[in-house]
Amino acid sequence: MFKKNVLYHSLIAAGVTYVMGQNVGTCQMKPLKRNMPKQPPSSSLSSSSAPKDQQKDSAAQLGRLYVSQGVSFSGANKGLFLGLLTLVMVIVVVIIFLVVKDDEDFASDTLFWMTSTTLATILSTGTLLGCVGLYQVRKLCHNGNQLTALDTMLATVSGAGVVLYALFSTVVGAVGVATSQPGTPEQKVDAMLTAVNVLQLVQVAVQSSLTAEAYRRSSWSRHQLFTKPGRQIITYLLCSNIALWMFDSFITQSWISQERQLRFMGLLSWGLLSRISLPLVVFYRFHSGVLLLQIWQKSYR
């Protein structure tokens, strides 16, 4: 755990230093605007003052609605329930894993199928709901915001770590499926390993696209403030990323979950690869949760 924290702080410090270096020497001051004398209103504009007053009143009412609503769980109850259910399920699986991982009487295949089925369920659900969320968030208006350079760099580096880990694990599983005897338990385990890591790649691609799209959209109209399109999905993905962060921290980083990769690639090769990619996998879930929380707070107010 100490080594992971050192890597997280080093990655964030490197990103902050990079952004500071990019901004050194750039002028952030805006030119001052001179106070121009106001022209008296003409008679032609006096007739249109009433519609303008009505527009100001409606804008003020919308602003009061914007402030009074604040950030609440309205429009996100189903996503919150499903997300908390996922979080509780992962907590139970993590506790069982930590209790029985050193028990020699407990079958290792049972432990593998329990953890892999849990992970596959979360990833497949996140992928399907992420696709729905990509469709729903397009109903929001553009706000002109973009991910900061630091967030973009952290998301890119951590996403590359997820792709690296999932890609090599997929190769290990695919080779095992091709070389194992058909219908044997070994082939089924390799097939499950391949499917889980393919789902990992697809889910990361969908979630990254949804995060980038939702970050630059927000609610402006009265209809958008009440319907909150996509907020259910954002809420679920926020909870599921917290659950996956716990899963990767306690289960994926355990050597028991990497047994097939170790046998295929060897201790030195896979040890080096896992030491590089696995902390980035955990950090990707943490950083994605932070971005989704920002979207949840800013895009639906």
Side-chain angles (χ1 to χ4, degrees):
M1 185 65 69
F2 177 74
K3 293 180 179 179
K4 291 186 292 183
N5 292 332
V6 170
L7 180 60
Y8 300 157
H9 288 94
S10 300
L11 181 60
I12 296 174
V16 172
T17 306
Y18 172 78
V19 174
M20 291 174 60
Q22 292 293 319
N23 293 327
V24 169
T26 58
C27 182
Q28 302 291 337
M29 297 180 62
K30 297 181 180 180
L32 297 176
K33 295 182 179 180
R34 295 182 179 179
N35 295 326
M36 301 298 294
K38 296 182 179 180
Q39 297 181 357
S42 59
S43 59
S44 60
L45 296 177
S46 61
S47 60
S48 61
S49 60
K52 289 184 178 180
D53 293 338
Q54 294 178 359
Q55 292 177 359
K56 290 181 180 179
D57 293 339
S58 61
Q61 292 177 0
L62 186 61
R64 286 194 295 269
L65 176 66
Y66 170 85
V67 174
S68 62
Q69 281 188 347
V71 177
S72 64
F73 287 100
S74 60
N77 297 327
K78 297 178 182 178
L80 181 63
F81 173 76
L82 187 59
L84 291 178
L85 186 64
T86 302
L87 189 59
V88 171
M89 179 179 64
V90 169
I91 291 175
V92 172
V93 171
V94 168
I95 292 175
I96 295 175
F97 179 83
L98 294 177
V99 170
V100 304
K101 69 176 183 177
D102 296 327
D103 189 359
E104 297 180 355
D105 297 331
F106 195 86
S108 59
D109 289 343
T110 304
L111 194 61
F112 170 81
W113 284 106
M114 180 187 67
T115 56
S116 298
T117 304
T118 303
L119 182 58
T121 302
I122 299 174
L123 292 176
S124 57
T125 305
T127 302
L128 294 176
L129 293 181
C131 294
V132 177
L134 275 173
Y135 171 75
Q136 290 183 349
V137 296
R138 295 179 184 273
K139 299 178 183 179
L140 299 175
C141 298
H142 286 274
N143 56 15
N145 294 335
Q146 296 290 341
L147 288 174
T148 62
L150 178 60
D151 285 331
T152 302
M153 189 183 68
L154 292 178
T156 303
V157 174
S158 58
V162 178
V163 172
L164 183 66
Y165 177 83
L167 189 61
F168 277 92
S169 298
T170 302
V171 171
V172 172
V175 172
V177 171
T179 56
S180 300
Q181 294 294 330
T184 58
E186 294 290 329
Q187 189 184 43
K188 294 179 181 179
V189 170
D190 290 326
M192 188 63 177
L193 180 64
T194 305
V196 167
N197 285 279
V198 170
L199 281 173
Q200 185 96 277
L201 292 172
V202 176
Q203 196 272 337
V204 167
V206 172
Q207 180 176 288
S208 299
S209 302
L210 176 61
T211 303
E213 183 69 23
Y215 196 86
R216 56 192 181 94
R217 292 180 181 269
S218 58
S219 302
W220 291 101
S221 66
R222 187 184 299 270
H223 177 72
Q224 292 172 351
L225 288 172
F226 279 107
T227 58
K228 296 179 173 60
R231 199 183 195 194
Q232 303 274 11
I233 311 298
I234 298 297
T235 305
Y236 169 75
L237 289 178
L238 174 60
C239 296
S240 66
N241 274 272
I242 297 174
L244 289 173
W245 174 78
M246 295 179 58
F247 188 95
D248 292 333
S249 297
F250 293 100
I251 297 179
T252 306
Q253 297 215 46
S254 175
W255 290 108
I256 300 176
S257 302
Q258 307 171 39
E259 181 181 358
R260 309 196 75 80
Q261 292 93 323
L262 280 170
R263 284 192 294 175
F264 181 83
M265 300 185 64
L267 180 61
L268 180 60
S269 300
W270 181 252
L272 179 62
L273 183 63
S274 62
R275 290 296 181 183
I276 296 174
S277 59
L278 274 177
L280 295 177
V281 172
V282 180
F283 183 79
Y284 175 81
R285 296 302 174 186
F286 172 78
H287 185 250
S288 297
V290 173
L291 292 180
L292 289 169
L293 181 60
Q294 293 179 2
I295 294 170
W296 193 86
Q297 290 179 335
K298 296 179 180 179
S299 297
Y300 298 99
R301 296 186 61 179

